[in-house]
Amino acid sequence: MTQTSQRPLRVLAAMSGGVDSAVAAARAAEAGHDVTGVHLALSANPQSFRTGARGCCTIEDSRDARRAADVIGIPFYVWDLAERFREDVVEDFIAEYEAGRTPNPCLRCNEKIKFAALLDKALALGFDAVCTGHYATVVTLEDGSRELHRASDMAKDQSYVLGVLDERQLAHAMFPLGDTLTTKEEIRAEAEERGLAVAKKPDSHDICFIADGDTQGFLAARLGSAEGDILDESGAKLGTHDGAFGFTIGQRKGLRIGRPAADGKPRYVLDISPVNNTVTVGPKEALDVTALTAIRPRWCGTAPAAPGTYTAQLRAHGGETEVTASLEGDELKVTFAEPVRGVAPGQAIVLYDGTRVVGSATISSAHRVAAEVS
């Protein structure tokens, strides 16, 4: 099996304005590919998104990407995908929270923007592949099919947020950073050696379209406040909230309950019900999940034909846990070898077979010993 194409390709490099995408574009060009850089304008009003060096949607980021392309010596364009981003990512994010679910906008952006809207446009213009700065690896098998694998360096692996890609998209994906064992400091050093001014630019860890990082404030401004009750597991009222959308499963801080539990232990969010606008809290042990059901499965290749044993990842920076999984119609049924905590509807579960990404699905319900969350 091979990890990179042996022939030069026409490559469209998505350049966010950060160090990873700049180095990825530089490596692709150095490998002999015909590279063109593109920055995605994802906001109709860039000043409404993050300013400075914290996001990927600002005027500063666009300028940083252009300067990097000039240094690399590749053509550069800015493509306006703001309306598509608003519909497929921002509005989806708001709707999911309104429904009591916890979405991952980075997965949705990769699925709908970078490897759908961007890739489709790239192919229509005659490009062979889209290159990004993600840390993951595409492996080409002897029969020509592709597999998505974790990055060589697990500490930087980003395959979780790419688990939505199907085999067609993988056939046109290029991740030049995925198969090298280099620290982020070494990537920055490489950028500096290449003369890229983004070498010392801080990474972005926040949601790019929430300017101040205040997710609850962002949602409240769009959904309005709606006072509801905070209940314990017996249904007794402990306090009130300004909107169920402001909570996530497993949350401990900011509950504003006012009085401690009878046993003196902290309480956590166990359930969010948008139907009656209630939030249920309880002890940490009540978060234990033994199984889940997930919908909208997407496979990085052929769908599993029979139940199997895999490892699963439930959040972008989470660890792996052993599971058995089977596809029943359009639903993925997953059972955990050991109980896990903090599983929230709306999150993605990504299945792995060793380092290979099998596929992903969106959690619709989580099953606990004493109750079911949906």
Side-chain angles (χ1 to χ4, degrees):
M1 61 180 65
T2 59
Q3 296 182 350
T4 57
S5 174
Q6 298 302 310
R7 66 178 181 85
L9 303 175
R10 286 197 67 204
V11 175
L12 187 68
M15 302 182 69
S16 67
V19 63
D20 290 330
S21 61
V23 172
R27 287 187 179 185
E30 190 173 66
H33 300 301
D34 179 8
V35 180
T36 296
V38 62
H39 179 80
L40 303 183
L42 300 180
S43 173
N45 176 17
Q47 294 298 345
S48 69
F49 282 11
R50 189 175 311 283
T51 58
R54 296 298 300 157
C56 58
C57 308
T58 68
I59 292 173
E60 294 100 315
D61 294 311
S62 174
R63 292 169 179 165
D64 287 342
R66 182 179 296 278
R67 283 191 287 266
D70 288 343
V71 171
I72 297 168
I74 59 176
F76 178 83
Y77 300 91
V78 176
W79 286 359
D80 183 1
L81 292 179
E83 184 62 22
R84 181 75 180 266
F85 183 78
R86 181 185 64 80
E87 293 176 356
D88 289 343
V89 180
V90 180
E91 291 186 0
D92 174 80
F93 179 84
I94 296 169
E96 285 292 284
Y97 266 101
E98 186 176 23
R101 296 185 287 267
T102 305
N104 185 314
C106 293
L107 270 85
R108 194 66 63 236
C109 185
N110 284 328
E111 176 186 358
K112 299 291 187 178
I113 305 300
K114 293 176 182 174
F115 291 95
L118 176 62
L119 178 58
D120 289 346
K121 188 172 182 178
L123 294 177
L125 291 173
F127 288 94
D128 299 304
V130 165
C131 163
T132 73
H134 287 100
Y135 289 88
T137 304
V138 176
V139 171
T140 302
L141 305 181
E142 292 181 359
D143 63 2
S145 62
R146 268 83 169 180
E147 293 179 348
L148 178 64
H149 284 251
R150 289 192 182 276
S152 298
D153 185 349
M154 277 289 293
K156 297 195 299 297
D157 175 64
Q158 293 176 308
S159 60
Y160 174 85
V161 296
L162 297 170
V164 291
L165 304 186
D166 60 27
E167 189 174 352
R168 170 187 169 275
Q169 292 167 326
L170 289 176
H172 301 285
M174 180 181 291
F175 307 121
L177 305 187
D179 60 355
T180 54
L181 286 170
T182 54
T183 66
K184 191 57 180 279
E185 288 69 27
E186 288 171 321
I187 291 293
R188 293 189 182 282
E190 179 179 337
E192 192 164 10
E193 290 173 3
R194 294 179 181 276
L196 300 172
V198 293
K200 297 180 180 180
K201 187 174 181 178
D203 291 332
S204 174
H205 299 289
D206 301 318
I207 299 171
C208 69
F209 55 84
I210 299 181
D212 57 3
D214 181 7
T215 300
Q216 187 168 350
F218 173 87
L219 293 169
R222 286 149 183 83
L223 297 175
S225 61
E227 186 174 297
D229 294 335
I230 299 177
L231 311 174
D232 66 14
E233 291 179 284
S234 71
K237 181 177 176 178
L238 302 177
T240 60
H241 61 76
D242 296 327
F245 56 78
F247 299 84
T248 58
I249 301 296
Q251 179 178 333
R252 173 185 173 184
K253 297 182 179 180
L255 300 184
R256 297 184 300 172
I257 295 173
R259 64 180 186 272
D263 60 7
K265 294 182 179 179
R267 283 173 288 202
Y268 300 78
V269 174
L270 305 180
D271 188 26
I272 303 164
S273 176
V275 176
N276 54 21
N277 197 28
T278 60
V279 174
T280 301
V281 299
K284 190 174 185 178
E285 295 74 18
L287 288 169
D288 285 351
V289 168
T290 57
L292 62 79
T293 298
I295 58 176
R296 298 193 298 273
R298 290 178 62 87
W299 305 109
C300 299
T302 305
T309 300
Y310 307 94
T311 56
Q313 190 169 327
L314 297 167
R315 53 188 62 84
H317 303 291
E320 291 180 290
T321 184
E322 185 176 332
V323 301
T324 56
S326 62
L327 191 61
E328 299 181 12
D330 293 329
E331 293 184 331
L332 183 68
K333 302 289 187 178
V334 177
T335 301
F336 296 97
E338 299 288 341
V340 297
R341 290 177 176 170
V343 178
Q347 290 176 326
I349 179 171
V350 177
L351 299 181
Y352 292 84
D353 181 5
T355 63
R356 180 175 70 88
V357 181
V358 178
S360 69
T362 302
I363 298 169
S364 59
S365 61
H367 310 277
R368 298 198 294 257
V369 174
E372 177 178 300
V373 178
S374 61

